[in-house]
Amino acid sequence: MADPQRTQPHRAQPHRAQPHGAEPHRAAPYRVALVAFPGIRAFDVSVITEVWGTDRTDRGAPAFDLRRVAADPATPVPLRGGLTLHADRALSWLRRADLVVVPGLDDHLTPAPAPVLDALRRAHAHGTPLAALCGGAFTLAQAGLLDGRRAITHWNLIDLLRTHHPQVHVVPDALFLEDDNIWTAAGTAAGIDLCLHLVRRSHGAEAAATIARSMVTAPFRTGGQAQFIEHPTPHADRDADTLAAVREHALRHLHEPLTVAGLAARAGMAPRTFARHFTAATGTTPLRWLLDQRLAAAQKLLERTDLPMPEVARRAGFGSEVTMRQHFASRLATSPRAYRAAFGTGGSNPIAR
């Protein structure tokens, strides 16, 4: 499977700190359209609203302009549980959006109104990134936007999506993925992961971490992880505690050489046993997890400090700038220098690691 995070969506200008004493420059808010129609899930509406509809600029987060967009803004959109959503923009606002997000559905075969499908097709043709949470993939599939493309949905809906939309290349196991500027996500918590990932890609890791802290959720879960992880026995729970301690140790020592054998020894397991239990507990392999954490550490250092590239590579555990540059290119489709230029705020006090 190709890397689900490689192609980058359209980026807004990053939020940047201003020099002391300078008149603050307010960049235009990043415009996000929540597409509303009868049948969308209240939970997904809440996730989208929590990520992009809450003002956190006092904590250094970027400014967002979230609009609830519907075919008829004058007609309230009913949601399950007696809730009602009031749209504030017509579908024509999608032309102005930097990102369009489609919530999941209570009934996954709910037909979206024809004007909604037409507007989604126009937005994609215009080059606007589209993101669908959980069963929202069915809405994009109805619009024909997933034909011939890779997509994911909740693990329990994969066969249903394949049956009703056989032209879609349904990926059996991922948290979220992208194909041709169209993002899809698995169920419930994976929608949060995708939303935070889209913030990270458009505004940087620190902005995503600020929002994640406010939501009291994990700031970094990669799209290629398994959706469904079982811990069926108390023994498995004890293993999970041991593995959590190993991961914590690794995070404190990312700048040091770390091997699967060394981590397995710390867990008191044989390397093969350790790798098997690690993958079962996290949904990814030890080496893939280490690479993800090192990339995240390098992103933070590039955003927060003016450290030279070789020192960033050393502190993040890549060993050399060349190695770090190769991993940035393969996983993030950019270079460390380009990432710093886009998201760096610098600082005279490097972050201790």
Side-chain angles (χ1 to χ4, degrees), residues 56 92 187 211:
R56 300 182 179 90
S92 59
I211 295 172

Side-chain angles (χ1 to χ4, degrees), residues 59-144:
R59 282 163 272 180
F64 300 121
D65 182 10
L66 175 67
R67 298 293 174 174
R68 291 153 292 279
V69 177
D72 180 9
T75 303
V77 178
L79 306 178
R80 180 174 289 180
L83 303 175
T84 302
L85 184 149
H86 293 270
D88 51 14
R89 290 292 185 274
L91 290 168
S92 59
W93 197 81
L94 266 62
R95 292 196 299 267
R96 302 180 57 196
D98 298 302
L99 172 68
V100 175
V101 189
V102 181
L105 306 168
D106 287 319
D107 178 351
H108 309 292
L109 299 181
T110 298
V116 168
L117 300 179
D118 290 340
L120 290 172
R121 285 189 282 262
R122 287 194 298 271
H124 181 254
H126 184 65
T128 305
L130 306 182
L133 310 189
C134 193
F138 285 81
T139 301
L140 296 184
Q142 288 175 36

Side-chain angles (χ1 to χ4, degrees), residues 146-233:
L146 298 183
D147 288 356
R149 297 188 174 102
R150 298 161 58 249
I152 187 62
T153 188
H154 190 287
W155 60 269
N156 200 36
L157 301 174
I158 286 175
D159 289 341
L160 189 67
L161 183 59
R162 284 173 171 159
T163 299
H164 286 269
H165 300 284
Q167 300 304 313
V168 180
H169 298 319
V170 183
V171 175
D173 204 5
L175 292 180
F176 56 83
L177 56 82
E178 180 271 349
D179 193 333
D180 193 21
N181 220 18
I182 297 176
W183 296 81
T184 51
T188 316
I192 300 174
D193 292 322
L194 174 57
C195 291
L196 291 173
H197 180 71
L198 292 173
V199 171
R200 184 183 306 113
R201 293 181 75 83
S202 60
H203 295 88
E206 188 62 26
T210 297
I211 295 172
R213 283 193 296 270
S214 176
M215 295 174 64
V216 195
T217 190
F220 187 75
R221 222 163 48 130
T222 59
Q225 292 182 215
Q227 288 190 39
F228 187 62
I229 301 169
E230 286 191 278
H231 299 294
T233 66

